[in-house]
Amino acid sequence: MSAYDWLRGLHILAVIAWMAGLLYLPRLYAYHTRAERGSQMDQTFQVMEARLLRIIMTPAMVASWAFGLALIWVRTGGLEAPQMLMEGWMHAKLLGVVLLSGWHGYLAASQRRFAEGRNTRSEKFWRISNELPFLLAIVIVLSATVEWSF
């Protein structure tokens, strides 16, 4: 097995873990909006949300980026042959990953707001926003796997 194959497998595993968290955390927030501040339910959601971010999501995001950048490095031969970085599909994929990373940051900030009792978003907002990571995943995966010709 080549280094590229190992990196690709590890990248896919990291992305799966990250996406699972990105899809699950807004659902926890939707349920958390129903909890009375200071209640046992509120405390339970706070622990679940913090652990999901700290133990699964953030390490998985960092690993996704690290393995993804390593894949680019191995595939292009380093800085000497960066033509792949100039292709439209790569721009679309990287834009999607940057947007997912921004959404991750927003979710992390929202976790702090929930912990401080300052959430201003409704259950409906969290239920609808739960779909955003999957929509971005569609763009990311299709940009990297489908031949586009315009």
Side-chain angles (χ1 to χ4, degrees), residues 9-57:
L10 292 170
H11 178 65
I12 290 168
L13 291 171
V15 170
I16 289 169
W18 186 27
M19 286 301 299
L22 288 169
L23 293 166
Y24 185 49
L25 190 56
R27 182 60 58 174
L28 286 177
Y29 291 162
Y31 297 138
H32 196 164
T33 60
R34 299 180 192 169
E36 184 179 322
R37 176 80 177 131
S39 68
Q40 182 64 40
M41 183 184 253
D42 177 51
Q43 296 300 314
T44 300
F45 278 121
Q46 286 185 44
V47 169
M48 291 171 65
E49 294 156 0
R51 286 182 181 168
L52 179 60
L53 267 163
R54 187 179 67 249
I55 298 170
I56 297 172
M57 289 176 63

Side-chain angles (χ1 to χ4, degrees), residues 138-150:
I138 291 170
V139 170
I140 292 166
V141 170
L142 291 181
S143 69
T145 59
V146 175
E147 288 277 335
W148 298 96
S149 56
F150 295 100

Side-chain angles (χ1 to χ4, degrees), residues 72-83:
I72 292 170
W73 184 266
V74 168
R75 180 92 181 260
T76 63
L79 297 176
E80 287 125 36
Q83 48 284 45

